């Protein structure tokens, strides 16, 4: 009742898109100046918000697509282009990091959404749920979604320790590698979408 290939594929895709190592310095910047207890609580809140958004789109993805009259190939191509933009940002080091503010719970916005539960992750989950045509594949998809959120929580929860270990240079290296992997995934997704359009035509 478990498909390891489906689990691994979705987990890797979400890992690259949601980028736990790359989110660490952003989390630290957004929560700077707050006590450790508050930082830990905000890490949990951010993961809960991201998980809630991802779950809603995973469960209602079909209905959303039908309502908007959007085909799966179109969604695959659009998602691939979106992932490619994210990959280019990772590769070039572009960082539109929001400024930390005391008046807003940054764990909800922008950390939970759109930094964690962004369009790329949402598109990937909708497509994965749609392709899962057996109980084993569905279990694998939702296990992968749960697993990546646990990883995100652990990374942010222990972010201060992680920064001490890998240093800023390590974060940059992991981010660049993630960008390369994501660009390959994005191109493949575009190819798959175009192929389906050609076959359908």
């Amino acid at each position: 009742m478990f498909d390891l290939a489906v689990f691994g594929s979705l987990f890797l895709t979400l890992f690259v898109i949601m980028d736990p190592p790359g989110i660490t310095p952003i989390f630290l910047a957004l929560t700077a100046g707050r006590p450790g207890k508050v930082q830990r609580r905000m890490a949990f809140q951010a993961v809960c918000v991201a998980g809630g958004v991802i779950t809603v789109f995973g469960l209602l993805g079909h209905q959303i697509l039908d309502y908007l009259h959007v085909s799966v190939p179109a969604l695959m191509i659009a998602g691939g282009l979106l992932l490619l933009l994210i990959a280019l940002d990772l590769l070039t080091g572009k960082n539109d990091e929001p400024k930390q503010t005391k008046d807003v719970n940054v764990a909800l916005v922008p950390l939970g959404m759109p930094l964690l539960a962004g369009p790329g992750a949402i598109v990937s989950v909708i497509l994965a749920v749609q392709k899962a045509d057996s109980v084993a594949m569905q279990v694998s998809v939702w296990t992968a979604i749960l697993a990546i959120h646990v990883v995100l929580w652990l990374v942010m929860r222990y972010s201060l320790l992680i920064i001490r270990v890998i240093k800023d240079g390590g974060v940059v290296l992991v981010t660049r590698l993630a960008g390369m992997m994501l660009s390959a995934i994005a191109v493949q997704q575009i190819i798959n979408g175009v192929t389906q359009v050609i076959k359908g035509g």
Side-chain angles (χ1 to χ4, degrees):
M1 295 294 290
F2 190 81
D3 191 320
L4 187 59
V6 171
F7 171 85
S9 176
L10 181 59
F11 180 83
L12 178 61
T13 300
L14 291 178
F15 185 90
V16 173
I17 295 171
M18 301 176 89
D19 192 18
I23 203 68
T24 299
I26 298 176
F27 171 74
L28 292 174
L30 291 172
T31 60
R34 293 177 170 88
K37 183 178 180 181
V38 175
Q39 286 183 314
R40 290 190 291 271
R41 185 177 72 245
M42 295 180 81
F44 181 74
Q45 290 175 337
V47 169
C48 287
V49 170
V53 172
I54 293 293
T55 299
V56 168
F57 277 93
L59 293 173
L60 302 177
H62 252 306
Q63 291 84 343
I64 294 173
L65 290 179
D66 290 343
Y67 178 77
L68 296 176
H69 304 290
V70 175
S71 67
V72 173
L75 186 63
M76 292 177 68
I77 295 171
L81 292 172
L82 182 61
L83 296 184
L84 192 57
L85 290 175
I86 296 173
L88 291 175
D89 284 348
L90 293 175
L91 287 169
T92 58
K94 181 180 176 183
N95 189 7
D96 298 326
E97 193 174 296
K99 294 182 179 179
Q100 183 259 349
T101 173
K102 297 286 187 181
D103 302 326
V104 179
N105 187 352
V106 294
L108 307 180
V109 178
L111 194 55
M113 184 178 180
L115 288 178
L116 293 181
I122 290 172
V123 168
S124 296
V125 167
I126 290 177
L127 293 175
V129 172
Q130 283 187 325
K131 291 177 183 177
D133 52 7
S134 68
V135 174
M137 291 179 70
Q138 284 286 346
V139 170
S140 303
V141 165
W142 290 105
T143 303
I145 293 171
L146 176 62
I148 190 61
H149 283 83
V150 171
V151 170
L152 284 165
W153 175 73
L154 289 173
V155 168
M156 290 189 291
R157 170 71 170 74
Y158 298 102
S159 56
L160 293 174
L161 177 61
I162 292 173
I163 285 294
R164 290 197 204 103
V165 173
I166 67 175
K167 309 293 184 184
D168 291 341
V171 173
V172 172
L173 175 61
V174 172
T175 300
R176 297 295 182 273
L177 291 175
M180 291 178 61
M181 295 171 64
L182 182 56
S183 62
I185 293 172
V187 170
Q188 186 61 56
Q189 189 162 304
I190 293 172
I191 292 173
N192 293 343
V194 172
T195 301
Q196 288 194 23
V197 170
I198 295 173
K199 288 182 178 178

